[in-house]
Amino acid sequence: RQKNLQTKICKLKVIVLYYVGDATAAELSKELRSKLPSHMIPRKFINLPKFPLMFNGKVDISYLKANIV
């Protein structure tokens, strides 16, 4: 009898930095590397014209996850 093997799908999580402004990803990365441990440095830098907001004024994180990454 053969055992059924379950395969777990592991989603790779990465740190994403969303920002508004004129800085480049290279400039931000350099500054963060001088202040943070390497495992905390974002792997993606996404410049936005403005942050998407919900009706209550908070950043709409669900929108960022679904539509920008």
Side-chain angles (χ1 to χ4, degrees):
R1 234 175 157 182
Q2 201 174 24
K3 290 184 180 180
N4 290 333
L5 299 176
Q6 292 182 344
T7 305
K8 290 185 179 181
I9 298 174
C10 180
K11 290 187 177 184
L12 180 63
K13 293 185 180 184
V14 297
I15 298 173
V16 178
L17 174 78
Y18 297 97
Y19 68 100
V20 175
D22 297 329
T24 65
E27 292 169 339
L28 292 170
S29 179
K30 181 179 177 183
E31 184 66 25
L32 291 173
R33 287 182 193 283
S34 71
K35 302 196 182 304
L36 297 173
S38 61
H39 69 277
M40 294 179 74
I41 303 298
R43 295 181 96 185
K44 291 184 180 183
F45 293 82
I46 300 174
N47 189 352
L48 302 171
K50 65 178 187 173
F51 284 106
L53 301 177
M54 297 189 304
F55 68 93
N56 61 3
K58 294 181 180 180
V59 175
D60 190 348
I61 296 172
S62 298
Y63 179 84
L64 291 174
K65 288 179 181 179
N67 297 303
I68 297 179
V69 172

